Amino acid sequence: MKTHMGESAPKQYAQKVVELAKKARSVVRDISPQNDLTFFRVRSKRQEIMVAPDKNIFLIVVQDVYQE
């Protein structure tokens, strides 16, 4: 894990993002059972979270959004 955050923040992000990914995957499967969630992105004014879930691992990228 590579981070510039404090010690507990990455674990909190991971826990919440994995919960969200499981719910998103469920929604995709409810809409179309033959499809699966492959990627999603959530953006706020300050940060963007990108997630690529797989069977055994979740790639999670959290980056600051720089406004010019």
Side-chain angles (χ1 to χ4, degrees):
M1 181 183 316
K2 182 177 180 181
T3 182
H4 297 284
M5 298 177 184
E7 200 170 304
S8 64
K11 291 177 184 176
Q12 291 174 346
Y13 271 92
Q15 180 184 12
K16 297 298 182 185
V17 169
V18 168
E19 289 175 25
L20 181 59
K22 288 179 180 180
K23 289 178 183 180
R25 177 175 276 155
S26 177
V27 169
V28 169
R29 293 235 173 131
D30 285 349
I31 293 170
S32 182
Q34 68 273 15
N35 287 321
D36 197 6
L37 181 70
T38 57
F39 184 84
F40 73 93
R41 182 175 80 172
V42 179
R43 184 177 173 146
S44 70
K45 290 181 180 180
R46 296 183 335 186
Q47 292 180 326
E48 181 176 37
I49 303 170
M50 296 166 282
V51 182
D54 198 26
K55 290 181 182 178
N56 299 320
I57 192 168
F58 288 79
L59 174 63
I60 302 169
V61 176
V62 180
Q63 66 181 13
D64 291 335
V65 175
Y66 295 103
Q67 305 269 336
E68 293 183 25

